[in-house]
Amino acid sequence: QGFGFRPGMFDGAISVSAVQWLCYSNDKGEVQRKRISTFFQSLYRALHRGARAVLQIYPESPEQVEMLTTAATRCGFTGGLVVDYPHSAKARKHYLCLFAGLDAAGQ
């Protein structure tokens, strides 16, 4: 259903270990891709142009990373994935670093 915030309301967004849960269905009728798309559309709309979002995720598979990054890109975000401690199974952290378009100055 998305967020109920006015467009361009926020300068930025941070999420720690929450967004990856959108990759799972709560019941048989749910479609993860639709839920993920609705999330990123709503987030993009709530951020003013030039704002940033950093979403820490713990994906279970490369397919989950692809599903999240593809949905974010289709909604207008730019940016990408940053992996901290990539060689450690325990300390590895994934950050989806997103930019919500350009601000009024074109930057």
Side-chain angles (χ1 to χ4, degrees):
Q1 69 199 48
F3 306 134
F5 300 113
R6 290 187 309 236
M9 186 75 177
F10 296 99
D11 295 331
I14 298 172
S15 172
V16 177
S17 189
V19 175
Q20 75 265 10
W21 296 107
L22 296 173
C23 296
Y24 300 97
S25 295
N26 292 326
D27 61 48
K28 292 182 181 181
E30 283 188 335
V31 178
Q32 299 100 322
R33 290 187 191 281
K34 185 175 190 286
R35 184 172 45 207
I36 292 167
S37 179
T38 299
F39 168 77
F40 282 113
Q41 287 171 2
S42 188
L43 179 61
Y44 190 84
R45 190 171 37 255
L47 295 172
H48 78 79
R49 297 299 67 89
R52 296 181 176 132
V54 177
L55 314 173
Q56 181 188 14
I57 59 173
Y58 290 99
E60 281 191 356
S61 67
E63 290 79 20
Q64 285 185 353
V65 172
E66 182 66 26
M67 194 173 2
L68 293 169
T69 55
T70 299
T73 302
R74 286 184 178 155
C75 291
F77 284 105
T78 58
L81 188 71
V82 175
V83 180
D84 196 15
Y85 300 108
H87 303 295
S88 171
K90 283 189 168 186
R92 182 180 311 136
K93 295 192 178 9
H94 296 80
Y95 299 93
L96 194 52
C97 300
L98 303 173
F99 301 91
L102 301 175
D103 61 14
Q107 299 180 19

